[in-house]
CSV table of all heavy atoms in Angstrom, one decimal:
chain,number,residue,atom,x,y,z
B,122,GLU,N,-26.1,11.4,47.4
B,122,GLU,CA,-25.0,10.5,47.1
B,122,GLU,C,-24.2,10.2,48.4
B,122,GLU,O,-23.8,9.1,48.6
B,122,GLU,CB,-24.1,11.2,46.1
B,122,GLU,CG,-23.0,10.2,45.6
B,122,GLU,CD,-22.1,10.8,44.5
B,122,GLU,OE1,-22.2,12.1,44.4
B,122,GLU,OE2,-21.3,10.1,43.9
B,123,LYS,N,-24.1,11.3,49.2
B,123,LYS,CA,-23.3,11.1,50.4
B,123,LYS,C,-24.1,10.3,51.5
B,123,LYS,O,-23.5,9.4,52.1
B,123,LYS,CB,-23.1,12.5,51.0
B,123,LYS,CG,-22.4,12.6,52.4
B,123,LYS,CD,-20.9,12.7,52.2
B,123,LYS,CE,-20.3,12.8,53.6
B,123,LYS,NZ,-19.0,12.2,53.7
B,124,PHE,N,-25.4,10.5,51.6
B,124,PHE,CA,-26.1,9.9,52.8
B,124,PHE,C,-26.9,8.6,52.4
B,124,PHE,O,-27.0,7.8,53.3
B,124,PHE,CB,-27.0,10.9,53.5
B,124,PHE,CG,-26.2,12.0,54.2
B,124,PHE,CD1,-26.2,13.3,53.6
B,124,PHE,CD2,-25.5,11.7,55.3
B,124,PHE,CE1,-25.4,14.3,54.3
B,124,PHE,CE2,-24.8,12.7,55.9
B,124,PHE,CZ,-24.7,14.0,55.4
B,125,THR,N,-27.4,8.5,51.2
B,125,THR,CA,-28.1,7.3,50.9
B,125,THR,C,-27.7,6.8,49.5
B,125,THR,O,-28.3,7.0,48.5
B,125,THR,CB,-29.7,7.5,50.8
B,125,THR,OG1,-29.9,8.7,50.0
B,125,THR,CG2,-30.3,7.7,52.1
B,126,PRO,N,-26.5,6.2,49.5
B,126,PRO,CA,-25.9,5.7,48.2
B,126,PRO,C,-26.9,4.7,47.5
B,126,PRO,O,-26.9,4.7,46.2
B,126,PRO,CB,-24.7,5.0,48.6
B,126,PRO,CG,-24.4,5.4,50.0
B,126,PRO,CD,-25.7,5.8,50.6
B,127,SER,N,-27.7,3.9,48.2
B,127,SER,CA,-28.6,3.0,47.5
B,127,SER,C,-29.6,3.7,46.7
B,127,SER,O,-29.9,3.3,45.5
B,127,SER,CB,-29.2,2.0,48.5
B,127,SER,OG,-30.0,2.8,49.4
B,128,LEU,N,-30.2,4.7,47.3
B,128,LEU,CA,-31.2,5.5,46.6
B,128,LEU,C,-30.5,6.2,45.4
B,128,LEU,O,-31.1,6.3,44.3
B,128,LEU,CB,-31.8,6.6,47.5
B,128,LEU,CG,-32.9,7.5,46.9
B,128,LEU,CD1,-34.1,6.7,46.4
B,128,LEU,CD2,-33.3,8.6,47.8
B,129,TYR,N,-29.3,6.7,45.6
B,129,TYR,CA,-28.5,7.4,44.5
B,129,TYR,C,-28.4,6.4,43.3
B,129,TYR,O,-28.6,6.8,42.2
B,129,TYR,CB,-27.2,7.8,45.0
B,129,TYR,CG,-26.3,8.5,44.0
B,129,TYR,CD1,-26.6,9.8,43.7
B,129,TYR,CD2,-25.3,7.8,43.4
B,129,TYR,CE1,-25.8,10.5,42.8
B,129,TYR,CE2,-24.5,8.5,42.4
B,129,TYR,CZ,-24.8,9.8,42.1
B,129,TYR,OH,-24.0,10.4,41.2
B,130,ASN,N,-28.0,5.1,43.6
B,130,ASN,CA,-27.8,4.2,42.5
B,130,ASN,C,-29.1,3.9,41.8
B,130,ASN,O,-29.1,3.7,40.6
B,130,ASN,CB,-27.2,2.9,43.0
B,130,ASN,CG,-25.7,3.2,43.4
B,130,ASN,OD1,-25.1,4.0,42.8
B,130,ASN,ND2,-25.2,2.4,44.4
B,131,SER,N,-30.2,3.7,42.6
B,131,SER,CA,-31.4,3.3,41.9
B,131,SER,C,-32.1,4.5,41.1
B,131,SER,O,-32.8,4.3,40.1
B,131,SER,CB,-32.4,2.7,42.9
B,131,SER,OG,-32.7,3.7,43.9
B,132,LEU,N,-31.8,5.7,41.5
B,132,LEU,CA,-32.4,6.8,40.8
B,132,LEU,C,-31.6,7.1,39.5
B,132,LEU,O,-32.1,7.5,38.5
B,132,LEU,CB,-32.3,8.1,41.6
B,132,LEU,CG,-33.3,8.2,42.7
B,132,LEU,CD1,-33.2,9.5,43.5
B,132,LEU,CD2,-34.7,7.9,42.2
B,133,GLY,N,-30.3,6.7,39.5
B,133,GLY,CA,-29.5,6.8,38.3
B,133,GLY,C,-29.5,8.1,37.6
B,133,GLY,O,-29.4,9.2,38.3
B,134,ILE,N,-29.7,8.1,36.3
B,134,ILE,CA,-29.7,9.4,35.5
B,134,ILE,C,-30.8,10.3,35.9
B,134,ILE,O,-30.8,11.5,35.6
B,134,ILE,CB,-29.7,9.0,34.0
B,134,ILE,CG1,-29.4,10.3,33.2
B,134,ILE,CG2,-31.0,8.5,33.6
B,134,ILE,CD1,-29.3,10.0,31.7
B,135,PHE,N,-31.8,9.8,36.6
B,135,PHE,CA,-33.0,10.7,36.8
B,135,PHE,C,-32.8,11.6,37.9
B,135,PHE,O,-33.6,12.5,38.1
B,135,PHE,CB,-34.3,9.8,37.0
B,135,PHE,CG,-34.8,9.4,35.7
B,135,PHE,CD1,-34.4,8.1,35.2
B,135,PHE,CD2,-35.6,10.2,34.9
B,135,PHE,CE1,-34.8,7.7,33.9
B,135,PHE,CE2,-36.0,9.8,33.7
B,135,PHE,CZ,-35.6,8.6,33.2
B,136,LEU,N,-31.7,11.5,38.7
B,136,LEU,CA,-31.5,12.5,39.7
B,136,LEU,C,-31.0,13.8,39.1
B,136,LEU,O,-31.7,14.9,39.4
B,136,LEU,CB,-30.4,12.0,40.7
B,136,LEU,CG,-30.4,12.7,42.0
B,136,LEU,CD1,-31.8,12.7,42.7
B,136,LEU,CD2,-29.5,12.0,43.0
B,137,PRO,N,-30.0,13.8,38.2
B,137,PRO,CA,-29.7,15.1,37.5
B,137,PRO,C,-30.9,15.6,36.7
B,137,PRO,O,-31.1,16.8,36.5
B,137,PRO,CB,-28.5,14.8,36.7
B,137,PRO,CG,-28.3,13.3,36.7
B,137,PRO,CD,-29.0,12.8,38.0
B,138,LEU,N,-31.7,14.7,36.3
B,138,LEU,CA,-32.9,15.1,35.4
B,138,LEU,C,-33.9,15.8,36.2
B,138,LEU,O,-34.8,16.4,35.6
B,138,LEU,CB,-33.5,13.8,34.7
B,138,LEU,CG,-32.8,13.3,33.5
B,138,LEU,CD1,-33.5,12.2,32.9
B,138,LEU,CD2,-32.5,14.4,32.5
B,139,ILE,N,-33.9,15.8,37.6
B,139,ILE,CA,-34.8,16.6,38.3
B,139,ILE,C,-34.7,18.0,37.9
B,139,ILE,O,-35.7,18.8,37.9
B,139,ILE,CB,-34.5,16.5,39.8
B,139,ILE,CG1,-34.9,15.1,40.3
B,139,ILE,CG2,-35.4,17.5,40.6
B,139,ILE,CD1,-34.7,14.9,41.8
B,140,ALA,N,-33.4,18.4,37.5
B,140,ALA,CA,-33.2,19.8,37.1
B,140,ALA,C,-34.1,20.2,35.9
B,140,ALA,O,-34.5,21.3,35.8
B,140,ALA,CB,-31.8,20.1,36.8
B,141,VAL,N,-34.3,19.2,35.0
B,141,VAL,CA,-35.1,19.5,33.9
B,141,VAL,C,-36.5,18.9,34.0
B,141,VAL,O,-37.2,18.7,33.1
B,141,VAL,CB,-34.5,19.1,32.6
B,141,VAL,CG1,-33.4,20.0,32.2
B,141,VAL,CG2,-34.0,17.7,32.7
B,142,ASN,N,-36.9,18.5,35.3
B,142,ASN,CA,-38.2,18.0,35.5
B,142,ASN,C,-39.1,19.2,35.3
B,142,ASN,O,-39.1,20.2,36.0
B,142,ASN,CB,-38.3,17.5,36.9
B,142,ASN,CG,-39.6,16.8,37.2
B,142,ASN,OD1,-40.7,17.3,36.7
B,142,ASN,ND2,-39.6,15.7,37.9
B,143,CYS,N,-40.0,19.1,34.3
B,143,CYS,CA,-40.8,20.3,33.9
B,143,CYS,C,-41.7,20.7,35.1
B,143,CYS,O,-42.1,21.9,35.1
B,143,CYS,CB,-41.7,20.0,32.7
B,143,CYS,SG,-41.2,18.6,31.7
B,144,ALA,N,-42.0,19.8,36.0
B,144,ALA,CA,-42.9,20.2,37.1
B,144,ALA,C,-42.2,21.3,37.9
B,144,ALA,O,-42.9,22.1,38.4
B,144,ALA,CB,-43.2,18.9,38.0
Side-chain angles (χ1 to χ4, degrees):
Chain B
E122 188 180 12
K123 172 95 179 146
F124 292 107
T125 49
S127 61
L128 181 63
Y129 180 80
N130 288 331
S131 55
L132 289 180
I134 190 175
F135 281 92
L136 199 54
L138 282 183
I139 290 183
V141 283
N142 189 321
C143 340

